[in-house]
Amino acid sequence: MRILKYLFLLLLLSFVALSIFVATQKGDFTVERSQIINSPKSNVYNFVNDFRNWEDFGSWITEDPEIKINYPIKTIGTGANYSWEGKDGSGNMKTIFVKENDSISQIMDYNGTSSSVFWTFKDTIGGTKVTWKTIGKMNFSMKVYTAFNGGMDKIIGVMYEKSLAKLDKTLDFEINTYKVKVDGLTKIPTTYYLKQTFTSKLSKVTKNSRIVFFKIIDFCNKNNIERNGKPFLLYHTYDLSNGLARISFCIPIKSQILTSSGSDILTGKLENFEAVKTTLTGDYSHIKKAMDKAMGYINSNKIIVDPTFSHLEMFKISRSEIKNPSKWITEIYYPIKPKVIPVNTYIPTTIKKVEAVKIPAPAINKEEEQSEF
């Protein structure tokens, strides 16, 4: 009995000593990892900036088949957030600041430990250098966990290394896998739509379309307006040299309506027209290649483009339906001038004037003439 008492006391003292040791350990931590991603900086930034894409590279997600992820409406940019519950614990993350194509700042809570998360994106040889950094302070339970698992740098560091490697692999396939097909001539029917029109930098078209399309769709839902097709961009002008375009962001609707005076959402009507259709399957970053191929087809076939507007882009399959960029479909339509059909005009047959034919008088025999007198 005395031996058991000593053993119990020894275990108790060991536990107390361990608790004191863990409690007095430094709770602050900084973990940082970097990797060169074989993709353009804008592509990497846009992919990381959407929490819905983290399922494709976050190692704590990809390695846990039972994990449950909760997404709110907003998963992109400042204010975006998501949460998860998995076999190793639960957590949530929120984006508090973004600098386009440069950096992202976030706050994370994982199993009760709060931390600040920073992403930076820098152009470099071979692609984009991505740096993922976390600064935080551990609670007691996390101190105990890390004490028996090699420390926070090892735990989070290995997680970040795996995730960055997966990010490189995912982007290399999803962003860089695409194809362009010129479908040829087609006819677009008359279309009614709701729109917002303004001048946009070409580099911000994708970002602006997400914001504006959501706003117009929300307007339709609140006012019971029936939609009639996929969102599209109507480019009134396209200035590649200055990187600017005058664009209408459009949502097609069943019938023409009138919006209230002062509304920033207006109605429009697109008359039926004939166009050269080109289909891009893949990430929208390849849209310029698709446009170049379309113009090559137009020029080689000596097709006359209608200058009424520059072109139209329709998002047949987008990120709202499939999160894999390699499966997105964007259709491009360049309007062409309608063919002039010659009209048959009736021209009466010219009646030729018939000249009188002079018939010479019959010759008179002089002897006969004399005998008559």
Side-chain angles (χ1 to χ4, degrees), residues 286-337:
H286 302 290
I287 194 70
K288 182 62 170 55
K289 301 182 184 73
M291 293 172 66
D292 289 343
K293 194 165 184 178
M295 289 307 299
Y297 176 89
I298 289 171
N299 293 332
S300 63
N301 288 276
K302 298 180 180 180
I303 297 173
I304 301 176
V305 176
D306 189 341
T308 304
F309 60 89
S310 172
H311 65 283
L312 183 152
E313 294 174 3
M314 183 175 293
F315 302 101
K316 296 295 288 187
I317 299 179
S318 61
R319 71 170 62 238
S320 62
E321 297 156 297
I322 297 177
K323 66 185 183 66
N324 305 84
S326 62
K327 297 179 181 179
W328 297 345
I329 296 177
T330 306
E331 295 176 348
I332 308 169
Y333 297 91
Y334 279 96
I336 64 175
K337 283 193 172 182

Side-chain angles (χ1 to χ4, degrees), residues 142-196:
M142 185 59 73
K143 287 182 180 180
V144 174
Y145 178 79
T146 57
F148 288 100
N149 289 276
M152 186 64 88
D153 186 78
K154 180 181 178 181
I155 295 171
I156 294 184
V158 170
M159 187 184 300
Y160 281 9
E161 289 168 6
K162 290 181 178 179
S163 299
L164 287 172
K166 190 68 181 295
L167 175 63
D168 183 33
K169 184 178 179 181
T170 299
L171 281 173
D172 192 43
F173 176 81
E174 288 296 339
I175 300 297
N176 298 322
T177 300
Y178 75 98
K179 65 179 180 179
V180 175
K181 178 186 177 184
V182 178
D183 303 281
L185 299 181
T186 188
K187 291 184 178 180
I188 304 299
T190 299
T191 305
Y192 299 109
Y193 56 88
L194 293 177
K195 66 175 181 177
Q196 270 198 321

Side-chain angles (χ1 to χ4, degrees), residues 39 56 93 106 112-113 146 149 157 173 181 217 222 274 278 319 330 359:
S39 291
D56 294 329
M93 183 173 285
Q106 301 164 327
T113 293
T146 57
N149 289 276
F173 176 81
K181 178 186 177 184
I217 290 172
K222 289 180 178 179
E274 193 171 12
T278 301
R319 71 170 62 238
T330 306
I359 302 174

Side-chain angles (χ1 to χ4, degrees), residues 87-153:
K87 62 181 181 182
D88 294 325
S90 61
N92 61 78
M93 183 173 285
K94 182 178 182 179
T95 299
I96 57 174
F97 173 80
V98 297
K99 184 177 180 181
E100 189 170 0
N101 297 331
D102 181 83
S103 57
I104 300 173
S105 298
Q106 301 164 327
I107 53 174
M108 179 177 68
D109 185 283
Y110 180 64
N111 284 343
T113 293
S114 298
S115 60
S116 298
V117 181
F118 305 95
W119 293 81
T120 58
F121 309 87
K122 303 293 181 184
D123 287 319
T124 188
I125 297 174
T128 304
K129 182 180 179 181
V130 178
T131 300
W132 194 357
K133 184 178 181 179
T134 295
I135 300 174
K137 189 176 183 67
M138 293 182 285
N139 58 17
F140 180 78
S141 60
M142 185 59 73
K143 287 182 180 180
V144 174
Y145 178 79
T146 57
F148 288 100
N149 289 276
M152 186 64 88
D153 186 78

